[in-house]
Amino acid sequence: MPIESVFPRLEALLPHVQKPIQYVGGELNSTVKDWDECQVRWSLMYPDAYEVGLPNQGVMILYEVLNEREGVLAERTYSVWPDLEKLMREHEVPQFTVDAHRPVGAFDFFGLSFSTELGYTNMLTALDLAGIPLESADRGIDHPVVVAGGHAAFNPEPIADFIDCAVIGDGEQAVLEMTEIARVWKAEGRPGGRDELLLRLAKTGGVYVPRFYDVEYLADGRIARVVPNRSGVPWRVSKHTVMDLDEWPYPKQPLVPLAETVHERMSVEIFRGCTRGCRFCQAGMITRPVRERSITGIGEMVDKGLESTGFEEVGLLSLSSADHSEIADVAKGLADRYTEDKIGLSLPSTRVDAFNIDLANELTRNGRRSGLTFAPEGGSERIRKVINKMVSEEDLIRTVATAYGNGWRQVKLYFMCGLPTETDEDVLQIADMATRVIAKGREVSGANDIRCTVSIGGFVPKPHTPFQWAPQLSSAETDARLEKLRDRIRGDKKYGRSIGFRYHDGKPGIVEGLLSRGDRRIGDVIRAVYEAGGRFDGWREYFSYDLWMESAAKTLPAHGVDVDWYTTRERSYEEALPWDHLDSGLDKDWLWEDWQDALDETEVEDCRWTPCFDCGVCPQMDTEIQIGPTGRKLLPLTVTTPSADGNAPA
Amino acid sequence: MVQRVRLRYTKRGRLRFTSHRDFQRAFERALRRAAVPMAYSAGFSPHPKVSYANAAPTGTASEAEYLEIGLARHCDPHRLRELLDLSMPTGLDIVDAVEADTSGFADRLLASCWELRLDGVGTEEAEEAVRRFLAADSVEVQRQTKKGVRTFDARAAVASLECVDAGHELGSDGPAQQPCAILRLVVRHLTPAVRPDDVLSGLRATADLAPPVPVSVTRLAQGPLDEETGTVTDPLAPDRDATLVATVPGSTA
Ligand code: SF4
């Protein structure tokens, strides 16, 4: 049955909304496939505004991987802003994809990628606009299967009622596997209805279907256990890990939007995973082990990507890009190749050492040296041992001295507030560090106009990390501590004016903490917030702390728990955690030992250059570290693109 | 810079919602993809030499937008147009290119011809509104600008306004059972600029004309105004060689 485009109806609304271009699609490298020629159809959503969602690499990769398959189509959808939402409700226009403007409700799968928990209310808006019942239990055979992915899906319990399933880890192979299962089930005439499809997915061991698990609680509100209620469904659901990134060079043809978005560049993921072992970092813990893309693989992706997009900047992405085994050759090779073309290179550089400065110098060889960013994360030597961020103040000062000496004018330093065992003193030392940075900078550069910006946010304990048991600092205490730091910096007559101070108040962190370590009972809170109009919680102008707290106060007492119980309460070794049945590969006992080491201020090395320290991931997931060096180099490119002056071969 | 080339481009269909800024970014990327040997401005952060003329507002379709680029090497305008067109999203089509031989291009863009498609409005009603509008000496309208509400005359700039019969309409799709009046409007580019929206406000002010759905507006041409015939003529004509390059006049998506 052909599916009609909703565009004609949408078009009439567009003159009345802000930035209509974000809703019309037509991006360069986007794909529209014939509906009837495909047996399995996905709509993929990044549950935030288009300007944030479009550049998301996860969605772009899956979009391409799926569309490359014959008989499979994938289209994208993003959150619509409240101005359009209102009009869509008035005129009964459903949630649509931007590719062919097909209604999201008509697809087989509706996949959402959650980088953060703050997209949950936007998911409910999209479901409702799509005409899909909010709760999984109310959906019928013709509704799409709602799939959650992304880092937040490693604890999908707060949204367990709203999703049909969750997939944790790398999505590339997982979506193809799910597609095949759906294709077979549809070809057989959809036996057993929706339940059967979900069961077949669950039986793979890599798809979590919340309805097949019962949660039992203790009298004090803690979880007693989580048990499968169907035979054939695994006790623990495994994460997916893609090995050999060179075999997965996606996105090959990155989307180029007409609308302005947050990242206007061609991004290449140079490796996945990180084993530095920062204890607060969920991304590092859940993406182990490290798997590098080879230097030649990177070179090829950059070359093809630039050709198909026309972007002027290349971002070399990963959790800690300077750690790539051949990063110096990558940076030099790319800078050499693209000197002529005025292509800028960037890499999120957070490591604090002299090597990073060399790298930054290489990357900005032809451009301006504005700001360098480092993330010491903790203000005192002691707290950095607690979080396993191995950098000494001496290292930092030496590094910034090199930076200022090389012509950089501004250094940004990132910190967290509210780390386990932290005291006011740990945080106030940030001010001392910043003044030393400025003093050293003035000394080596001989200039007075250098700057240092301190940026600090509240720490939120995350599942699958050693800090999953830790108490979160209350927002009042966070704010008080940050104010003391601000006063200390501002009060410094000699250096204060050279130090910028940016901080986020503690309130959003409490909501994030509630959602991060929540369980199924948090679903009521999310729903109440959505029904009271909560949207776009990642946006300062929309986020309402009060709305979240009121909704929690309305719904949680029935369960005998409250917000503090989820956030500022410390968990014990015995407690069953809501995400224990989602297997990230990390051994829970190893995590607990690492938590104890944190409290003892004991550091742990990186397994890339020391023997394996048995975090559990590799044996559990049957994976291994994949790193170079390959010893290869990037050779200069020969021109093969057709050029307008007709001089080059076409 | 060794050569300047002037291009005509369109904003068609759903891509009419492209803002001018969006278009600029897309065009500059297309220049890279097509490996056009651009001339760059001097200075600390060099920019490719592109100048845009009088862009149509966001949401308005156009068959006649213009820009000029400066090149560091000689290019065949025909080949250049083809390559650039391939590198732009469908709807933002590069439809004409001539080597610039003259100066003062922007000064030649003296008037625009617009087509206004009024879905849900009958031809008779539209004709009556047009009559009343044209009969007035001046028609005060208001527009929301960044600096607040501005009041000005929308009548003086209008060189002609007429109801054309539906058979002539551009880009018509679907059966014409629904009433749909088509207006053809020629406006001089004066200050303050009078846009089709302002004329629509004027029709509402003089004749209570209130189309039930948003009016779709397309710029058909802009250039010098032939006062005798009342038509807007080709602004690239003075640059054009005897050999006509790659024109696709009046084509639609
Ligand atoms: S299992 Fe060993 S080698 Fe693998 S990520 Fe963990 S510590 Fe590293």
Side-chain angles (χ1 to χ4, degrees):
Chain A
M1 200 179 61
I3 291 295
E4 250 181 64
S5 163
V6 306
F7 194 71
R9 287 191 286 149
L10 176 68
E11 194 173 21
L13 311 179
L14 292 182
H16 306 293
V17 304
Q18 294 290 313
K19 299 189 198 156
I21 188 70
Q22 65 185 311
Y23 304 116
V24 307
E27 299 91 348
L28 198 76
N29 300 331
S30 59
T31 306
V32 172
K33 290 175 88 169
D34 187 277
W35 184 265
D36 294 316
E37 275 167 24
C38 293
Q39 298 88 52
V40 182
R41 307 163 186 120
W42 286 77
S43 68
L44 301 171
M45 178 174 207
Y46 189 84
D48 202 333
Y50 180 89
E51 64 196 79
V52 180
L54 182 115
N56 180 263
Q57 292 290 296
V59 170
M60 244 191 248
I61 291 170
L62 299 185
Y63 176 74
E64 221 176 295
V65 164
L66 288 164
N67 275 323
E68 269 185 8
R69 297 287 146 142
E70 202 162 313
V72 183
L73 72 77
E75 301 193 7
R76 296 158 298 124
T77 182
Y78 305 95
S79 295
V80 300
W81 286 109
D83 61 348
L84 182 58
E85 182 193 339
K86 185 165 168 284
L87 291 170
M88 285 165 67
R89 288 185 187 280
E90 270 170 41
H91 297 266
E92 294 178 6
V93 175
Q95 179 80 26
F96 54 86
T97 60
V98 296
D99 299 283
H101 294 91
R102 287 162 174 152
V104 165
F107 290 74
D108 300 304
F109 287 105
F110 178 28
L112 296 106
S113 174
F114 292 103
S115 317
T116 91
E117 297 80 5
L118 297 175
Y120 291 162
T121 50
N122 281 3
M123 164 178 66
L124 296 188
T125 312
L127 285 172
D128 192 42
L129 283 173
I132 302 169
L134 293 188
E135 304 213 349
S136 167
D138 300 327
R139 289 175 200 146
I141 189 161
D142 288 322
H143 291 121
V145 169
V146 179
V147 191
H151 287 179
F154 275 81
N155 175 21
E157 290 300 82
I159 50 170
D161 291 343
F162 312 122
I163 58 173
D164 296 306
C165 57
V167 174
I168 61 172
D170 301 330
E172 291 92 332
Q173 285 159 316
V175 291
L176 293 176
E177 212 181 316
M178 294 173 77
T179 300
E180 275 323 297
I181 290 171
R183 196 204 299 266
V184 169
W185 173 76
K186 285 180 81 174
E188 288 171 6
R190 306 199 286 181
R194 187 180 183 79
D195 204 64
E196 167 79 17
L197 173 60
L198 291 173
L199 193 60
R200 289 187 189 183
L201 291 169
K203 282 182 176 169
T204 62
V207 178
Y208 172 56
V209 180
R211 69 166 71 171
F212 296 153
Y213 296 80
D214 292 328
V215 183
E216 296 164 11
Y217 298 96
L218 299 168
D220 64 5
R222 288 181 303 163
I223 291 171
R225 55 183 203 146
V226 179
V227 228
N229 56 28
R230 289 296 178 95
S231 68
V233 167
W235 280 84
R236 297 186 78 203
V237 179
S238 292
K239 80 162 176 184
H240 297 256
T241 312
V242 164
M243 299 304 290
D244 196 351
L245 289 201
D246 282 339
E247 302 244 311
W248 296 89
Y250 297 91
K252 294 174 183 164
Q253 300 209 307
L255 294 162
V256 186
L258 280 161
E260 192 162 10
T261 61
V262 291
H263 298 302
E264 303 272 319
R265 64 179 175 219
M266 147 85 211
S267 296
V268 176
E269 191 182 20
I270 63 172
F271 64 86
R272 264 184 211 177
C274 178
T275 39
R276 291 224 153 226
C278 301
R279 293 180 173 122
F280 54 84
C281 179
Q282 188 194 38
M285 293 288 165
I286 62 179
T287 58
R288 294 169 172 223
V290 171
R291 292 145 287 149
E292 284 187 357
R293 198 181 297 286
S294 70
I295 177 170
T296 40
I298 295 168
E300 211 166 299
M301 274 187 79
V302 171
D303 181 32
K304 297 223 170 93
L306 286 176
E307 194 184 313
S308 70
T309 60
F311 279 132
E312 293 172 67
E313 192 188 327
V314 176
L316 302 175
L317 304 190
S318 73
L319 291 170
S320 174
S321 293
D323 284 344
H324 190 283
S325 63
E326 288 174 294
I327 190 65
D329 286 333
V330 170
K332 181 171 183 312
L334 292 177
D336 286 348
R337 273 186 179 180
Y338 300 109
T339 314
E340 286 266 299
D341 307 85
K342 302 178 176 67
I343 299 288
L345 297 169
S346 70
L347 83 171
S349 117
T350 54
R351 221 170 78 193
V352 186
D353 59 24
F355 172 69
N356 245 325
I357 305 284
D358 292 344
L359 211 51
N361 289 343
E362 193 65 57
L363 293 174
T364 55
R365 209 197 281 163
N366 319 301
R368 100 197 263 168
R369 295 191 173 165
S370 48
L372 269 186
T373 301
F374 299 107
E377 313 284 5
S380 70
E381 204 92 40
R382 189 195 72 77
I383 201 80
R384 287 196 296 276
K385 287 198 168 121
V386 171
I387 62 178
N388 201 41
K389 189 89 192 186
M390 288 189 276
V391 44
S392 69
E393 183 142 342
E394 295 318 310
D395 285 342
L396 179 87
I397 299 299
R398 209 176 308 124
T399 305
V400 296
T402 319
Y404 289 124
N406 274 283
W408 298 84
R409 317 306 296 159
Q410 152 124 280
V411 167
K412 278 189 206 146
L413 300 174
Y414 277 108
F415 296 94
M416 276 184 288
C417 175
L419 291 161
T421 77
E422 181 186 280
T423 62
D424 285 356
E425 198 34 49
D426 291 310
V427 168
L428 288 173
Q429 284 194 33
I430 293 171
D432 304 343
M433 190 191 274
T435 54
R436 284 192 64 194
V437 162
I438 295 290
K440 190 75 187 180
R442 287 181 187 172
E443 181 194 313
V444 294
S445 69
N448 260 333
D449 67 340
I450 52 147
R451 285 189 63 75
C452 166
T453 302
V454 168
S455 190
I456 181 165
F459 164 66
V460 178
K462 295 276 174 160
H464 305 280
T465 69
F467 290 165
Q468 63 184 357
W469 291 279
Q472 185 173 353
L473 193 65
S474 72
S475 69
E477 285 168 286
T478 303
D479 293 347
R481 207 166 270 171
L482 290 175
E483 266 159 45
K484 282 183 195 155
L485 174 59
R486 186 196 57 200
D487 293 346
R488 172 76 67 96
I489 290 174
R490 297 242 170 103
D492 189 319
K493 292 274 172 319
K494 200 160 165 214
Y495 299 107
R497 268 195 282 143
S498 299
I499 303 171
F501 184 54
R502 293 221 192 99
Y503 68 102
H504 303 293
D505 71 84
K507 284 176 172 174
I510 291 296
V511 172
E512 201 186 326
L514 175 71
L515 297 171
S516 291
R517 292 194 293 173
D519 52 38
R520 292 191 181 183
R521 293 168 291 191
I522 296 298
D524 290 345
V525 185
I526 298 169
R527 186 163 181 156
V529 168
Y530 160 73
E531 281 168 356
R535 306 283 188 277
F536 287 96
D537 287 303
W539 296 72
R540 210 159 255 275
E541 54 274 53
Y542 287 96
F543 173 78
S544 166
Y545 177 74
D546 294 341
L547 181 56
W548 278 96
M549 291 307 116
E550 282 159 24
S551 304
K554 259 184 242 156
T555 54
L556 291 181
H559 305 294
V561 288
D562 60 17
V563 173
D564 288 349
W565 190 85
Y566 286 101
T567 53
T568 57
R569 180 177 65 96
E570 182 168 351
R571 278 74 159 165
S572 67
Y573 175 72
E574 304 76 34
E575 182 165 344
L577 301 173
W579 51 89
D580 279 349
H581 57 297
L582 290 136
D583 188 5
S584 59
L586 296 157
D587 179 42
K588 196 175 176 186
D589 282 334
W590 179 83
L591 284 175
W592 178 262
E593 275 163 35
D594 204 37
W595 170 222
Q596 298 311 303
D597 284 347
L599 297 175
D600 295 341
E601 297 162 24
T602 307
E603 297 161 282
V604 46
E605 292 283 337
D606 187 319
C607 62
R608 265 171 298 185
W609 26 87
T610 62
C612 165
F613 47 83
D614 288 325
C615 77
V617 171
C618 293
Q620 181 75 3
M621 295 293 147
D622 193 20
T623 54
E624 58 179 8
I625 300 176
Q626 293 181 328
I627 53 173
T630 63
R632 292 191 291 250
K633 298 276 182 290
L634 291 179
L635 303 171
L637 292 171
T638 43
V639 185
T640 53
T641 48
S643 124
D645 60 1
N647 288 339
Chain B
M1 185 167 73
V2 302
Q3 186 189 23
R4 288 176 302 145
V5 174
R6 290 177 183 150
L7 301 164
R8 176 162 69 93
Y9 67 94
T10 68
K11 271 189 359 180
R12 290 169 176 160
R14 54 183 169 157
L15 291 200
R16 73 178 186 277
F17 293 107
T18 310
S19 74
H20 185 54
R21 265 169 67 89
D22 298 335
F23 177 85
Q24 286 177 319
R25 269 197 319 276
F27 183 71
E28 281 166 35
R29 279 180 198 138
L31 289 171
R32 290 179 166 274
R33 276 196 301 276
V36 175
M38 292 300 293
Y40 279 82
S41 64
F44 196 50
S45 59
H47 282 287
K49 290 207 167 183
V50 186
S51 45
Y52 300 88
N54 198 34
T58 308
T60 304
S62 178
E63 292 294 314
E65 301 294 290
Y66 293 91
L67 60 81
E68 181 181 299
I69 57 178
L71 301 174
R73 284 201 299 272
H74 265 283
C75 290
D76 167 24
H78 172 68
R79 185 165 163 70
L80 184 74
R81 184 204 68 80
E82 256 175 19
L83 275 172
L84 278 173
D85 189 39
L86 273 178
S87 301
M88 290 294 283
T90 307
L92 302 179
D93 303 323
I94 313 291
V95 290
D96 199 353
V98 296
E99 178 162 0
D101 267 343
T102 58
S103 59
F105 178 73
D107 299 336
R108 261 178 257 155
L109 301 180
L110 291 172
S112 286
C113 176
W114 300 91
E115 182 179 85
L116 289 71
R117 196 187 144 96
L118 285 65
D119 273 300
V121 175
T123 311
E124 275 170 31
E125 188 190 352
E127 274 170 352
E128 177 55 24
V130 166
R131 244 193 312 279
R132 287 211 220 162
F133 180 89
L134 292 176
D137 290 332
S138 79
V139 179
E140 290 239 308
V141 296
Q142 294 189 321
R143 193 201 302 157
Q144 186 70 41
T145 69
K146 275 175 203 127
K147 290 178 203 132
V149 177
R150 183 160 188 186
T151 307
F152 56 98
D153 173 32
R155 173 64 187 87
V158 174
S160 67
L161 175 63
E162 57 179 344
C163 234
V164 293
D165 86 59
H168 284 170
E169 84 197 59
L170 185 91
S172 82
D173 39 11
Q177 298 117 331
Q178 282 259 333
C180 174
I182 314 271
L183 303 183
R184 187 70 55 95
L185 166 71
V186 175
V187 194
R188 293 189 185 84
H189 296 167
L190 303 178
T191 320
V194 172
R195 299 187 193 158
D197 267 0
D198 303 318
V199 174
L200 288 167
S201 307
L203 291 169
R204 178 181 298 232
T206 48
D208 268 340
L209 186 75
V213 294
V215 175
S216 61
V217 177
T218 306
R219 167 140 63 198
L220 300 179
Q222 61 173 327
L225 179 64
D226 182 329
E227 295 286 351
E228 255 163 52
T229 60
T231 54
V232 177
T233 61
D234 179 9
L236 296 178
D239 295 311
R240 229 177 267 284
D241 287 343
T243 47
L244 206 66
V245 277
T247 334
V248 194
S251 69
T252 55

